[in-house]
C-alpha cells in the first residue's frame, strides 16, 4: 500500500483479466521502477516508423519509446512475402525449420530478423542490452535506420500545437510522434545533443 498519495508506487503487481472457474487470475506480473525513470514525470516519448513499401533492404515497422533516461526500441521483421510457400506450417518455428530444410535462407532470415533493445539517453543514446549482442554499445539511431547510413535526426512540425502532427526524420526514414512531454525545440535539442543533462 502506498502511504504517500503523491509518490507513485515503486513496485506493483498486474493481474491477468482472464480468470479460472474460481475467479482467480491465471497469472500476474511484478513490475518495479528502475533508477532513472524520473517516476514517469520527466521525459516521455513514443514514436513509430511510418509504413513504407516493404523492400529487401528496408524494415516495415519500428517503435522507439523513452521514459526518463531509459529507451527501448524494436524493429520489425523484414518479411519478403515468401512465407506463402509454407502453408502447412502451423507456427513460426515450423515455418523457419521448413524454410531451412528447403534451402530457403531468405525466408528463414526474414522471420529471424526481429531486433530490439534498451539503452540510456545519458550514455549518448547507446544500447546496453539487445537481442543481437553485436548491437551493444552502438547508437540506437544506427539500429533504427533501415534505409540509410546517415545518422541525422530532425524534428519537423509546428511548435504551436501538440506533438501529434510532428514527424521525426532519422536519416531518410520518417517517424510519427505519438507522445512527447517536451516541446519540439527541446526534442530536437535532445536528439542533437545526445545528452539528457542539457535539457
Amino acid at each position: 500500500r502506498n502511504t504517500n498519495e503523491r509518490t507513485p508506487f515503486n513496485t506493483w503487481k498486474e493481474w491477468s483479466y482472464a480468470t479460472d472457474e474460481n475467479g482467480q487470475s491465471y497469472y500476474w506480473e511484478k513490475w518495479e521502477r528502475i533508477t532513472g525513470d524520473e517516476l514517469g514525470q520527466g521525459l516521455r516519448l513514443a514514436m513509430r516508423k511510418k509504413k513504407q513499401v516493404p523492400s529487401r533492404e528496408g524494415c516495415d515497422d519500428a517503435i522507439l519509446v523513452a521514459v526518463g533516461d531509459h529507451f527501448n526500441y524494436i524493429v520489425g521483421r523484414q518479411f519478403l512475402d515468401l512465407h506463402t510457400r509454407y502453408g502447412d506450417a502451423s507456427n513460426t518455428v515450423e515455418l523457419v525449420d521448413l524454410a531451412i530444410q528447403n534451402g530457403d535462407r531468405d525466408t528463414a532470415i526474414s522471420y529471424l530478423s526481429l531486433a530490439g533493445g534498451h539503452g540510456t539517453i545519458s550514455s549518448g543514446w547507446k544500447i546496453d542490452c539487445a537481442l543481437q549482442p553485436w548491437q551493444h554499445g552502438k547508437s540506437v539511431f544506427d539500429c533504427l535506420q533501415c534505409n540509410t547510413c546517415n545518422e541525422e535526426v530532425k524534428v519537423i512540425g509546428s511548435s504551436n500545437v501538440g506533438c501529434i502532427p510532428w514527424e521525426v526524420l532519422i536519416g531518410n526514414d520518417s517517424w510519427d510522434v505519438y507522445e512527447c512531454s517536451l516541446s519540439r525545440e527541446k526534442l530536437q535539442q535532445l536528439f542533437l545533443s545526445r545528452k539528457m543533462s542539457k535539457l
Side-chain angles (χ1 to χ4, degrees):
R1 177 157 161 60
N2 188 2
T3 56
N4 181 353
E5 294 299 323
R6 293 184 201 162
T7 305
F9 287 97
N10 288 324
T11 61
W12 63 94
K13 286 184 182 176
E14 192 172 278
W15 301 89
S16 68
Y17 288 105
T19 56
D20 63 17
E21 64 278 357
N22 298 314
Q24 297 293 314
S25 295
Y26 284 109
Y27 74 94
W28 59 270
E29 298 172 359
K30 180 180 177 185
W31 290 80
E32 185 172 351
R33 290 192 175 280
I34 56 175
T35 304
D37 78 342
E38 299 176 8
L39 300 175
Q41 303 303 309
L43 170 66
R44 292 179 317 280
L45 173 65
M47 303 186 331
R48 187 171 192 173
K49 185 177 171 208
K50 287 188 174 185
K51 294 279 185 196
Q52 297 178 1
V53 176
S55 70
R56 190 172 284 268
E57 297 81 29
C59 56
D60 297 327
D61 202 4
I63 295 172
L64 174 67
V65 176
V67 176
D69 190 33
H70 298 272
F71 68 82
N72 287 313
Y73 72 95
I74 188 164
V75 179
R77 294 180 176 109
Q78 299 177 17
F79 292 116
L80 303 175
D81 289 330
L82 302 175
H83 63 280
T84 53
R85 299 177 187 168
Y86 307 102
D88 294 338
S90 60
N91 57 53
T92 304
V93 173
E94 200 171 296
L95 189 147
V96 170
D97 287 345
L98 285 170
I100 290 170
Q101 288 171 8
N102 287 299
D104 185 356
R105 187 171 188 267
D106 287 341
T107 298
I109 287 172
S110 76
Y111 275 85
L112 299 172
S113 61
L114 184 69
H118 170 273
T120 56
I121 297 168
S122 60
S123 70
W125 292 89
K126 298 283 190 244
I127 297 166
D128 59 21
C129 183
L131 292 175
Q132 296 87 3
W134 56 89
Q135 301 291 11
H136 294 193
K138 286 187 178 180
S139 164
V140 70
F141 301 106
D142 289 338
C143 296
L144 293 177
Q145 313 174 58
C146 301
N147 297 321
T148 181
C149 58
N150 174 6
E151 196 178 316
E152 182 182 1
V153 180
K154 185 175 182 182
V155 182
I156 300 170
S158 171
S159 58
N160 299 337
V161 294
C163 66
I164 299 303
W166 296 353
E167 189 175 327
V168 174
L169 294 176
I170 301 176
N172 297 329
D173 293 328
S174 179
W175 293 65
D176 287 319
V177 177
Y178 288 104
E179 181 177 350
C180 183
S181 60
L182 302 177
S183 68
R184 185 183 64 79
E185 292 78 13
K186 290 231 184 221
L187 181 59
Q188 181 68 59
Q189 181 184 354
L190 178 67
F191 288 140
L192 291 176
S193 69
R194 306 288 202 265
K195 298 287 182 190
M196 185 68 170
S197 60
K198 292 193 178 181
L199 294 178

